[in-house]
Amino acid sequence: MAVSADYREYVLEQMGRVAPVSGRSMFGGVGIYSDGLFFALMDDGAVYLKVDDTNRAMFTDAGMGQFDPFGDGQQVMKYYELPADLLESPDLLRPWMDAALDVARRARKGKKKK
């Protein structure tokens, strides 16, 4: 699904209160980057952050689900939905973004070693 221009602007503005971010259109959604790291995405009115074993519990404990671009459970990705209310508070959003950025940094280091 497409991301509206208003929603894109809102999310990037709210996340930009925590760290410098930029968005790039991709496959109808938006990839979100900070310091060259792809750590989040927007799709169909939701924000998803990059996860691994270090931060997955934050999302599952909050009852948030995994990004499933086709809705069939076959192509789930290592991104979980961010609770929408966190976008309203930089203090609440910061630990979630920091953890996702740490995951992205580790993933990039892992790719460089291969």
Side-chain angles (χ1 to χ4, degrees):
M1 291 279 177
V3 174
S4 74
D6 288 343
Y7 185 69
R8 177 184 178 140
E9 181 180 339
Y10 167 75
V11 169
L12 293 176
E13 181 179 303
Q14 296 304 101
M15 293 180 110
R17 296 166 63 192
V18 174
V21 295
S22 63
R24 295 184 195 157
S25 296
M26 53 182 255
F27 307 111
V30 177
I32 304 172
Y33 296 79
S34 183
D35 194 28
L37 296 168
F38 177 45
F39 77 101
L41 58 91
M42 282 181 252
D43 186 60
D44 197 24
V47 176
Y48 298 85
L49 298 181
K50 193 166 185 69
V51 300
D52 66 9
D53 291 340
T54 65
N55 67 336
R56 186 174 291 107
M58 294 170 72
F59 296 88
T60 57
D61 290 351
M64 306 314 292
Q66 199 167 6
F67 180 57
D68 184 1
F70 302 107
D72 61 6
Q74 300 297 312
Q75 301 290 324
V76 293
M77 298 174 66
K78 294 182 180 183
Y79 292 82
Y80 275 73
E81 187 173 356
L82 176 73
D85 60 323
L86 297 180
L87 286 171
E88 297 294 325
S89 170
D91 292 334
L92 295 177
L93 180 58
R94 184 175 314 282
W96 296 70
M97 281 182 59
D98 287 346
L101 285 163
D102 287 344
V103 171
R105 281 185 199 96
R106 283 192 297 278
R108 180 164 55 179
K109 284 181 185 178
K111 287 180 181 177
K112 286 183 180 179
K113 288 181 182 180
K114 291 181 180 180

